[in-house]
Amino acid sequence: GKVEFKCFGDSDWAGDTATQNSKSGLIFCMGSGALSCSSKKQVVVDLSSTESEYVGLSLAAKEAFGFGN
């Protein structure tokens, strides 16, 4: 059958109260199993929750391209 590759991610806008940096988390799955998961503090201070999510998606896309190499 068909095996699907999926990525799920979320960001926490200004989650670090000391620095106001956001945090991003993601998990990559293939079929019913997890391939990779991570949680990282973003290096930039985002101006909105939308920007925080966009930065998180960008980080996920960079990691997803790593699976293809």
Side-chain angles (χ1 to χ4, degrees):
K2 182 174 141 182
V3 177
E4 293 184 331
F5 180 76
K6 295 181 182 181
C7 175
F8 300 94
D10 195 21
S11 295
D12 179 18
W13 180 42
D16 187 324
T17 55
T19 64
Q20 297 299 304
N21 286 76
S22 301
K23 297 174 189 168
S24 294
L26 55 98
I27 185 167
F28 288 95
C29 300
M30 182 170 285
S32 62
L35 292 175
S36 170
C37 64
S38 67
S39 176
K40 297 178 185 176
K41 184 164 80 169
Q42 295 178 4
V43 295
V44 295
V45 176
D46 302 316
L47 300 177
S48 68
S49 60
T50 301
E51 184 178 7
S52 175
E53 295 287 348
Y54 179 79
V55 170
L57 268 171
S58 174
L59 294 170
K62 288 178 187 178
E63 189 155 331
F65 282 111
F67 281 114
N69 294 329

PDB file of all heavy atoms in Angstrom, residues 48-65:
ATOM      1  N   SER A  48       4.915  38.698  15.885  1.00  0.00           N
ATOM      2  CA  SER A  48       3.526  38.240  15.996  1.00  0.00           C
ATOM      3  C   SER A  48       3.496  36.722  16.048  1.00  0.00           C
ATOM      4  O   SER A  48       4.474  36.051  15.716  1.00  0.00           O
ATOM      5  CB  SER A  48       2.711  38.725  14.789  1.00  0.00           C
ATOM      6  OG  SER A  48       3.154  38.066  13.607  1.00  0.00           O
ATOM      7  N   SER A  49       2.343  36.187  16.434  1.00  0.00           N
ATOM      8  CA  SER A  49       2.195  34.731  16.451  1.00  0.00           C
ATOM      9  C   SER A  49       2.243  34.171  15.028  1.00  0.00           C
ATOM     10  O   SER A  49       2.749  33.073  14.808  1.00  0.00           O
ATOM     11  CB  SER A  49       0.893  34.332  17.145  1.00  0.00           C
ATOM     12  OG  SER A  49      -0.220  34.876  16.471  1.00  0.00           O
ATOM     13  N   THR A  50       1.758  34.946  14.053  1.00  0.00           N
ATOM     14  CA  THR A  50       1.809  34.508  12.657  1.00  0.00           C
ATOM     15  C   THR A  50       3.258  34.372  12.197  1.00  0.00           C
ATOM     16  O   THR A  50       3.627  33.385  11.556  1.00  0.00           O
ATOM     17  CB  THR A  50       1.066  35.496  11.753  1.00  0.00           C
ATOM     18  OG1 THR A  50      -0.289  35.590  12.185  1.00  0.00           O
ATOM     19  CG2 THR A  50       1.112  35.077  10.302  1.00  0.00           C
ATOM     20  N   GLU A  51       4.089  35.350  12.553  1.00  0.00           N
ATOM     21  CA  GLU A  51       5.502  35.287  12.185  1.00  0.00           C
ATOM     22  C   GLU A  51       6.182  34.093  12.863  1.00  0.00           C
ATOM     23  O   GLU A  51       6.992  33.396  12.259  1.00  0.00           O
ATOM     24  CB  GLU A  51       6.217  36.576  12.560  1.00  0.00           C
ATOM     25  CG  GLU A  51       7.663  36.604  12.117  1.00  0.00           C
ATOM     26  CD  GLU A  51       8.368  37.905  12.436  1.00  0.00           C
ATOM     27  OE1 GLU A  51       7.801  38.772  13.115  1.00  0.00           O
ATOM     28  OE2 GLU A  51       9.523  38.033  12.002  1.00  0.00           O
ATOM     29  N   SER A  52       5.827  33.832  14.106  1.00  0.00           N
ATOM     30  CA  SER A  52       6.382  32.695  14.834  1.00  0.00           C
ATOM     31  C   SER A  52       6.041  31.385  14.130  1.00  0.00           C
ATOM     32  O   SER A  52       6.894  30.508  13.977  1.00  0.00           O
ATOM     33  CB  SER A  52       5.841  32.685  16.267  1.00  0.00           C
ATOM     34  OG  SER A  52       6.260  31.550  16.952  1.00  0.00           O
ATOM     35  N   GLU A  53       4.811  31.232  13.683  1.00  0.00           N
ATOM     36  CA  GLU A  53       4.390  30.023  12.967  1.00  0.00           C
ATOM     37  C   GLU A  53       5.119  29.912  11.631  1.00  0.00           C
ATOM     38  O   GLU A  53       5.529  28.821  11.221  1.00  0.00           O
ATOM     39  CB  GLU A  53       2.877  30.025  12.742  1.00  0.00           C
ATOM     40  CG  GLU A  53       2.056  29.954  14.016  1.00  0.00           C
ATOM     41  CD  GLU A  53       2.065  28.599  14.694  1.00  0.00           C
ATOM     42  OE1 GLU A  53       2.524  27.603  14.094  1.00  0.00           O
ATOM     43  OE2 GLU A  53       1.619  28.529  15.852  1.00  0.00           O
ATOM     44  N   TYR A  54       5.295  31.046  10.937  1.00  0.00           N
ATOM     45  CA  TYR A  54       5.983  31.051   9.648  1.00  0.00           C
ATOM     46  C   TYR A  54       7.439  30.614   9.821  1.00  0.00           C
ATOM     47  O   TYR A  54       7.952  29.810   9.052  1.00  0.00           O
ATOM     48  CB  TYR A  54       5.911  32.445   9.011  1.00  0.00           C
ATOM     49  CG  TYR A  54       6.613  32.536   7.688  1.00  0.00           C
ATOM     50  CD1 TYR A  54       6.005  32.065   6.531  1.00  0.00           C
ATOM     51  CD2 TYR A  54       7.887  33.079   7.584  1.00  0.00           C
ATOM     52  CE1 TYR A  54       6.651  32.131   5.308  1.00  0.00           C
ATOM     53  CE2 TYR A  54       8.542  33.148   6.375  1.00  0.00           C
ATOM     54  CZ  TYR A  54       7.920  32.680   5.241  1.00  0.00           C
ATOM     55  OH  TYR A  54       8.559  32.738   4.040  1.00  0.00           O
ATOM     56  N   VAL A  55       8.115  31.127  10.839  1.00  0.00           N
ATOM     57  CA  VAL A  55       9.503  30.746  11.111  1.00  0.00           C
ATOM     58  C   VAL A  55       9.561  29.250  11.437  1.00  0.00           C
ATOM     59  O   VAL A  55      10.448  28.533  10.960  1.00  0.00           O
ATOM     60  CB  VAL A  55      10.111  31.598  12.243  1.00  0.00           C
ATOM     61  CG1 VAL A  55      11.456  31.052  12.687  1.00  0.00           C
ATOM     62  CG2 VAL A  55      10.245  33.046  11.804  1.00  0.00           C
ATOM     63  N   GLY A  56       8.609  28.769  12.235  1.00  0.00           N
ATOM     64  CA  GLY A  56       8.555  27.343  12.559  1.00  0.00           C
ATOM     65  C   GLY A  56       8.368  26.473  11.326  1.00  0.00           C
ATOM     66  O   GLY A  56       9.009  25.433  11.172  1.00  0.00           O
ATOM     67  N   LEU A  57       7.496  26.915  10.409  1.00  0.00           N
ATOM     68  CA  LEU A  57       7.286  26.179   9.158  1.00  0.00           C
ATOM     69  C   LEU A  57       8.541  26.171   8.304  1.00  0.00           C
ATOM     70  O   LEU A  57       8.873  25.164   7.674  1.00  0.00           O
ATOM     71  CB  LEU A  57       6.150  26.828   8.356  1.00  0.00           C
ATOM     72  CG  LEU A  57       4.768  26.278   8.588  1.00  0.00           C
ATOM     73  CD1 LEU A  57       3.724  27.157   7.899  1.00  0.00           C
ATOM     74  CD2 LEU A  57       4.666  24.866   8.073  1.00  0.00           C
ATOM     75  N   SER A  58       9.252  27.289   8.288  1.00  0.00           N
ATOM     76  CA  SER A  58      10.495  27.386   7.535  1.00  0.00           C
ATOM     77  C   SER A  58      11.525  26.397   8.070  1.00  0.00           C
ATOM     78  O   SER A  58      12.216  25.720   7.302  1.00  0.00           O
ATOM     79  CB  SER A  58      11.029  28.817   7.618  1.00  0.00           C
ATOM     80  OG  SER A  58      12.287  28.922   7.020  1.00  0.00           O
ATOM     81  N   LEU A  59      11.632  26.300   9.395  1.00  0.00           N
ATOM     82  CA  LEU A  59      12.556  25.346  10.003  1.00  0.00           C
ATOM     83  C   LEU A  59      12.170  23.906   9.653  1.00  0.00           C
ATOM     84  O   LEU A  59      13.028  23.076   9.368  1.00  0.00           O
ATOM     85  CB  LEU A  59      12.582  25.528  11.519  1.00  0.00           C
ATOM     86  CG  LEU A  59      13.161  26.854  12.029  1.00  0.00           C
ATOM     87  CD1 LEU A  59      12.905  26.997  13.530  1.00  0.00           C
ATOM     88  CD2 LEU A  59      14.631  26.965  11.713  1.00  0.00           C
ATOM     89  N   ALA A  60      10.867  23.621   9.652  1.00  0.00           N
ATOM     90  CA  ALA A  60      10.388  22.277   9.300  1.00  0.00           C
ATOM     91  C   ALA A  60      10.712  21.953   7.842  1.00  0.00           C
ATOM     92  O   ALA A  60      11.128  20.833   7.535  1.00  0.00           O
ATOM     93  CB  ALA A  60       8.890  22.168   9.559  1.00  0.00           C
ATOM     94  N   ALA A  61      10.527  22.924   6.947  1.00  0.00           N
ATOM     95  CA  ALA A  61      10.821  22.698   5.529  1.00  0.00           C
ATOM     96  C   ALA A  61      12.304  22.409   5.325  1.00  0.00           C
ATOM     97  O   ALA A  61      12.667  21.508   4.559  1.00  0.00           O
ATOM     98  CB  ALA A  61      10.399  23.908   4.707  1.00  0.00           C
ATOM     99  N   LYS A  62      13.165  23.147   6.022  1.00  0.00           N
ATOM    100  CA  LYS A  62      14.611  22.903   5.901  1.00  0.00           C
ATOM    101  C   LYS A  62      14.964  21.496   6.360  1.00  0.00           C
ATOM    102  O   LYS A  62      15.767  20.808   5.735  1.00  0.00           O
ATOM    103  CB  LYS A  62      15.385  23.929   6.726  1.00  0.00           C
ATOM    104  CG  LYS A  62      15.381  25.309   6.135  1.00  0.00           C
ATOM    105  CD  LYS A  62      16.117  26.276   7.043  1.00  0.00           C
ATOM    106  CE  LYS A  62      15.993  27.695   6.553  1.00  0.00           C
ATOM    107  NZ  LYS A  62      16.656  28.646   7.461  1.00  0.00           N
ATOM    108  N   GLU A  63      14.353  21.050   7.437  1.00  0.00           N
ATOM    109  CA  GLU A  63      14.631  19.706   7.931  1.00  0.00           C
ATOM    110  C   GLU A  63      14.058  18.645   6.994  1.00  0.00           C
ATOM    111  O   GLU A  63      14.671  17.615   6.766  1.00  0.00           O
ATOM    112  CB  GLU A  63      14.083  19.513   9.340  1.00  0.00           C
ATOM    113  CG  GLU A  63      14.553  18.214   9.944  1.00  0.00           C
ATOM    114  CD  GLU A  63      14.579  18.219  11.458  1.00  0.00           C
ATOM    115  OE1 GLU A  63      14.770  19.273  12.065  1.00  0.00           O
ATOM    116  OE2 GLU A  63      14.405  17.125  12.023  1.00  0.00           O
ATOM    117  N   ALA A  64      12.899  18.907   6.409  1.00  0.00           N
ATOM    118  CA  ALA A  64      12.275  17.951   5.493  1.00  0.00           C
ATOM    119  C   ALA A  64      13.164  17.749   4.258  1.00  0.00           C
ATOM    120  O   ALA A  64      13.308  16.612   3.778  1.00  0.00           O
ATOM    121  CB  ALA A  64      10.902  18.431   5.062  1.00  0.00           C
ATOM    122  N   PHE A  65      13.776  18.798   3.744  1.00  0.00           N
ATOM    123  CA  PHE A  65      14.659  18.647   2.601  1.00  0.00           C
ATOM    124  C   PHE A  65      15.884  17.811   2.962  1.00  0.00           C
ATOM    125  O   PHE A  65      16.451  17.145   2.111  1.00  0.00           O
ATOM    126  CB  PHE A  65      15.083  20.004   2.035  1.00  0.00           C
ATOM    127  CG  PHE A  65      14.016  20.647   1.194  1.00  0.00           C
ATOM    128  CD1 PHE A  65      13.372  21.776   1.622  1.00  0.00           C
ATOM    129  CD2 PHE A  65      13.638  20.088  -0.016  1.00  0.00           C
ATOM    130  CE1 PHE A  65      12.382  22.370   0.852  1.00  0.00           C
ATOM    131  CE2 PHE A  65      12.648  20.663  -0.796  1.00  0.00           C
ATOM    132  CZ  PHE A  65      12.028  21.809  -0.354  1.00  0.00           C
TER     133      PHE A  65
END
